[in-house]
Amino acid sequence: MIRYALIMFLVLGIVEAVELPESATGKPNDNPAIQDQQEQTVRSADVAIWQYLNNMGLETKKNAEIELSLGNNASPAAQNMVNQIEDLWNRGDFESALSLFPQLERLTDIRELSIGITWRKPIIVKEKNKWSNDVRIGTRDSIYVNVLDIHRASGNLFAILLYRSGPNYYWSVNLSTNGGSTWAETFQFGAAYRINDLSATVVDTHCFVAYTGGTGQTDARLRQFKVTNGLAENFSNGRPYINVFSVAGDSIKEVALTSNQDGLNNRLYYFAICYSGTLHFLWDDPQAVSWTDVDTYITDADRGLDASFNEGYERYYLIASYINTSNQVKVIAKNPGKSAQNESGNFKPASNR
């Protein structure tokens, strides 16, 4: 894992230094880089995310199978309109689909709209030998979060990139089936609001992506992708994404997702830091539709969240770290209760580092 991360950091560093941001077609679009700690900005409907679809070239439109998501309080009428737009677009009637978006804006808060795109033909990076032996992952720039993981059984690698392009924010799923020699973008998620953070992990036969959702960044969301080809797949309840939890009167600042793929290969662990300082922890099996919330009793978490399964553990199977409001690095660890399958064990009190 470390060697892949090193390659990733080197490649992204070179891209940021010498190239302008690029679109899905690989053409520069001259957008400024976003800074890591830039505050969230709610954007108006004149730059609604659906305009991204409107600006696509015909061949890109044909390659894009779309899935639209609205805010939590969207009306049935708005949801019906979304279903019509998806159906028209995915049948190739792009103009009719686009013509319905102004009507949708009158039915719901269009700022909450997000768009998931599964590329019918994954976007493959064709540039070779540009940076000696380094390999480019994706055609994106202005990346401010990147996450890598591996599916142990197949050796397939995933790189999830969070970035800004123009007025909008995106993340993409990138897959390599040959040890990192070549990469293909299989999925893109976009929204007009800033996406604070994302994380990813592989367990069972899925790559899961955790991310912050909504204009207020109040939702801790999750999507899943097939480890064989990187394509998006619905959950067992038929939904394209899961709201693992939501907060009221607060916002989610960071998320960290990990799994026990290197152990029993049957658990997902979801951590999140809120602006209030609360550290949330939830777990589920790979179905990922019935999450259990476990109180950490931590209220001073500030930033730097990370988590890992402790392969070959003797006492603590799950470890998380964060920086608190006093600028201390703290580590917490969880024991498994009475058996390796029992998630009822307690967290070890945080220690300072």
Side-chain angles (χ1 to χ4, degrees):
M1 288 292 290
I2 293 175
R3 64 177 181 273
Y4 296 127
L6 179 59
I7 291 171
M8 184 71 167
F9 287 128
L10 289 174
V11 171
L12 292 180
I14 292 171
V15 172
E16 187 172 75
V18 301
E19 294 201 24
L20 294 174
E22 294 181 337
S23 67
T25 59
K27 296 179 181 179
N29 57 22
D30 198 16
N31 294 318
I34 184 171
Q35 299 300 312
D36 243 357
Q37 300 300 319
Q38 179 174 324
E39 292 299 320
Q40 175 183 323
T41 301
V42 176
R43 300 180 180 277
S44 59
D46 62 342
V47 288
I49 187 63
W50 69 265
Q51 294 289 352
Y52 172 68
L53 298 177
N54 189 41
N55 294 331
M56 284 181 173
L58 180 58
E59 291 307 310
T60 304
K61 289 176 179 176
K62 291 179 179 179
N63 194 34
E65 180 176 332
I66 68 169
E67 172 264 310
L68 308 178
S69 299
L70 299 175
N72 296 332
N73 298 319
S75 67
Q79 188 56 56
N80 287 336
M81 182 68 70
V82 158
N83 295 342
Q84 292 180 51
I85 294 171
E86 289 175 341
D87 182 62
L88 288 167
W89 181 280
N90 292 333
R91 289 193 286 110
D93 191 350
F94 309 120
E95 294 307 313
S96 295
L98 291 167
S99 71
L100 294 180
F101 277 107
Q103 298 180 48
L104 180 63
E105 290 184 352
R106 294 192 288 271
L107 294 174
T108 192
D109 185 352
I110 202 66
R111 297 170 301 177
E112 296 285 355
L113 177 69
S114 60
I115 302 177
I117 298 175
T118 295
W119 300 116
R120 301 179 191 272
K121 183 178 181 181
I123 301 172
I124 299 174
V125 179
K126 297 180 179 179
E127 294 176 335
K128 295 183 179 179
N129 304 320
K130 190 169 184 178
W131 304 294
S132 186
N133 293 325
D134 291 340
V135 176
R136 183 170 185 178
I137 300 173
T139 61
R140 309 301 180 180
D141 205 341
S142 301
I143 296 164
Y144 57 100
V145 178
N146 64 83
V147 186
L148 295 100
D149 205 357
I150 183 173
H151 178 236
R152 298 290 182 191
S154 65
N156 288 350
L157 302 173
F158 286 88
I160 317 300
L161 311 178
L162 176 58
Y163 56 95
R164 180 182 178 184
S165 181
N168 301 320
Y169 296 82
Y170 302 88
W171 54 264
S172 65
V173 175
N174 301 268
L175 172 70
S176 175
T177 59
N178 55 15
S181 296
T182 58
W183 291 83
E185 180 180 299
T186 62
F187 179 86
Q188 182 189 59
F189 175 91
Y193 51 79
R194 175 173 166 83
I195 302 170
N196 285 342
D197 199 16
L198 66 70
S199 185
T201 194
V202 172
V203 68
D204 194 28
T205 59
H206 313 283
C207 175
F208 292 92
V209 178
Y211 61 103
T212 54
T215 55
Q217 294 290 270
T218 57
D219 297 335
R221 296 181 181 174
L222 187 76
R223 287 180 182 256
Q224 66 177 7
F225 302 86
K226 298 178 181 178
V227 294
T228 53
N229 55 20
L231 297 182
E233 55 183 338
N234 288 346
F235 290 87
S236 60
N237 61 4
R239 297 286 298 165
Y241 72 91
I242 297 293
N243 252 1
V244 175
F245 74 94
S246 297
V247 295
D250 205 347
S251 296
I252 301 169
K253 191 175 187 179
E254 296 184 15
V255 294
L257 187 69
T258 191
S259 74
N260 66 350
Q261 181 189 189
D262 296 324
L264 294 174
N265 196 27
N266 64 353
R267 287 289 186 267
L268 278 168
Y269 306 108
Y270 201 125
F271 290 86
I273 289 177
C274 288
Y275 277 90
S276 64
T278 303
L279 177 61
H280 293 264
F281 168 71
L282 303 95
W283 67 269
D284 200 357
D285 60 31
Q287 292 294 308
V289 294
S290 56
W291 290 81
T292 299
D293 192 345
V294 179
D295 201 334
T296 66
Y297 302 101
I298 292 171
T299 59
D300 67 343
D302 185 62
R303 63 195 187 279
L305 179 64
D306 202 359
S308 178
F309 177 73
N310 185 19
E311 182 183 4
Y313 69 92
E314 293 183 2
R315 188 176 180 186
Y316 297 103
Y317 69 96
L318 188 60
I319 299 172
S321 62
Y322 63 95
I323 300 172
N324 72 359
T325 51
S326 299
N327 292 322
Q328 298 172 311
V329 176
K330 290 200 167 187
V331 178
I332 59 173
K334 196 173 191 300
N335 64 30
K338 295 180 180 179
S339 70
Q341 190 64 63
N342 190 335
E343 303 292 340
S344 64
N346 296 321
F347 276 103
K348 178 184 179 181
S351 58
N352 296 341
R353 292 291 185 270

